[in-house]
């Protein structure tokens, strides 16, 4: 994975040819990179994209084949389950991170690749009719895309009924269809996708900083899973904490100075 740092943001480029398969080694590398970024107070946002022409095709068939041939089907089941524990941990860590995580989908985003993208906070995609986004596991293996919590993240993006149909039919959709159904948040010209996403991340890092990003994620993602009254209590607690730790005092003084004179 290639990591670049600029203006309060990092760009992570998946670079595991030929299809950015999510091997245990790559997942561990991503978890360590996230921990390193969170330990750097100057980083507020991460853009996750690919160095290849495909974002990610999901599970590592080569690794699965090696385990199957060397140690048999029972070992494959056990080791695959262990790998899914790592994958689930990575996806939860992305969602719970105080950093903004934006996926820039510059190529096919399939199976575990979509689970990874769905765990990010936002998804920008190349407006390219050839780009496919989907979870074909039901067609390939007769199982749910649940290694990284895909059923849960996708349902929260699309809504339960659409997610159920999408997962059971197992047919990839275009970037435009993904946008229309809530899987993708913004479509960008293919040639400017990465720079558009980076600009968005840089602007967020400059305006909101880590405190603002963390507060927004805690309030919105956490509150969406609570009854309204409890969510409003969470909103208040997060807001108060952000006011204490952030730049509210200086910002309020500037606001009054600029607009408070009648």
């Amino acid at each position: 994975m290639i990591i670049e740092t600029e203006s309060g943001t990092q760009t992570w480029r998946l670079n595991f040819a030929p299809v950015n398969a999510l091997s245990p080694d790559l997942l561990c590398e991503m978890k360590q990179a996230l921990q390193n970024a969170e330990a750097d107070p100057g980083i507020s946002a991460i853009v996750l994209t690919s160095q290849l022409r495909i974002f990610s095709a999901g599970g590592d068939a080569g690794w699965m084949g090696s385990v199957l041939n060397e140690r048999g089907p029972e070992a494959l089941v056990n080791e695959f389950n262990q790998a899914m524990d790592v994958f689930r941990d990575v996806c939860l860590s992305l969602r719970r991170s105080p950093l903004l995580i934006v996926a820039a989908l510059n190529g096919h985003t399939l199976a575990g690749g979509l689970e990874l993208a769905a765990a990010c906070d936002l998804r920008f995609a190349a407006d390219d009719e050839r780009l496919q986004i989907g979870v074909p596991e039901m067609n390939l293996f007769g199982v749910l895309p649940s290694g990284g919590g895909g059923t849960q993240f996708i349902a929260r993006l699309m809504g339960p009924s659409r997610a159920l149909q999408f997962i059971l039919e197992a047919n990839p959709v275009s970037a435009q269809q993904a946008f229309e159904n809530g899987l993708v948040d913004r479509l960008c010209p293919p040639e400017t996708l990465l720079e558009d996403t980076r600009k968005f991340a840089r602007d967020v890092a400059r305006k909101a900083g880590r405190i603002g990003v963390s507060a927004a994620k805690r309030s919105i993602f956490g509150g969406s899973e609570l009854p309204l009254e409890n969510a409003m209590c969470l909103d208040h607690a997060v807001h108060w904490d952000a006011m204490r730790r952030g730049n509210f005092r200086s910002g309020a003084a500037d606001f009054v100075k600029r607009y408070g004179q009648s």
Side-chain angles (χ1 to χ4, degrees):
M1 190 165 68
I2 302 169
I3 299 178
E4 304 164 357
T5 302
E6 178 189 9
S7 303
T9 70
Q10 282 191 346
T11 300
W12 294 1
R13 298 175 185 261
L14 300 177
N15 190 33
F16 187 36
V19 295
N20 283 330
L22 300 176
S23 68
D25 288 344
L26 177 58
L27 292 171
C28 289
E29 184 180 354
M30 291 182 64
K31 182 66 182 293
Q32 186 61 57
L34 182 61
Q35 292 174 348
N36 293 343
E38 290 176 352
D40 184 343
I43 302 298
S44 297
I46 293 171
V47 172
L48 175 61
T49 191
S50 171
Q51 184 74 2
L52 311 178
R53 293 185 178 181
I54 184 169
F55 179 76
S56 174
D60 189 343
W63 170 78
M64 292 170 64
S66 296
V67 175
L68 181 63
N69 293 331
E70 293 173 9
R71 295 188 289 281
E74 190 63 29
L76 175 60
V77 170
N78 293 333
E79 294 193 29
F80 187 82
N81 190 49
Q82 293 173 10
M84 290 306 96
D85 287 342
V86 177
F87 188 27
R88 184 167 57 252
D89 183 41
V90 168
C91 289
L92 280 173
S93 296
L94 292 173
R95 178 52 60 92
R96 292 172 176 169
S97 174
L99 309 179
L100 178 71
I101 317 291
V102 186
L105 309 180
N106 60 324
H108 297 326
T109 305
L110 302 168
L114 179 54
E115 291 189 78
L116 179 65
C120 295
D121 302 319
L122 295 168
R123 286 143 299 281
F124 293 4
D127 191 5
D128 184 342
E129 62 182 13
R130 296 168 297 179
L131 190 156
Q132 293 189 326
I133 299 173
V135 279
E137 283 92 334
M138 196 62 73
N139 279 340
L140 295 175
F141 310 112
V143 298
L144 294 171
S146 57
T151 58
Q152 303 309 303
F153 288 118
I154 292 171
R156 282 163 170 75
L157 295 173
M158 301 180 72
S161 297
R162 284 185 177 180
L164 180 64
Q165 181 177 336
F166 179 67
I167 289 169
L168 291 179
E169 287 185 337
N171 295 323
V173 299
S174 67
Q176 178 66 42
Q177 290 172 305
F179 174 72
E180 292 170 356
N181 285 281
L183 273 175
V184 164
D185 300 291
R186 183 180 297 183
L187 295 176
C188 304
E191 62 274 13
T192 64
L193 168 67
L194 182 56
E195 185 49 42
D196 289 348
T197 310
R198 281 172 153 174
K199 182 180 184 304
F200 174 84
R202 288 195 300 266
D203 288 346
V204 168
R206 176 175 55 84
K207 294 176 183 177
R210 182 178 294 198
I211 292 175
V213 168
S214 176
K217 289 181 65 168
R218 288 168 59 199
S219 185
I220 294 170
F221 291 144
S224 67
E225 299 174 4
L226 296 173
L228 179 59
E229 184 175 350
N230 300 72
M232 292 183 71
C233 290
L234 173 66
D235 173 84
H236 174 73
V238 171
H239 179 69
W240 174 243
D241 181 60
M243 286 177 62
R244 287 191 302 107
R245 298 191 298 122
N247 299 321
F248 174 76
R249 292 174 180 81
S250 59
D254 290 342
F255 177 81
V256 171
K257 182 178 180 180
R258 181 175 300 181
Y259 302 108
Q261 303 300 321
S262 57

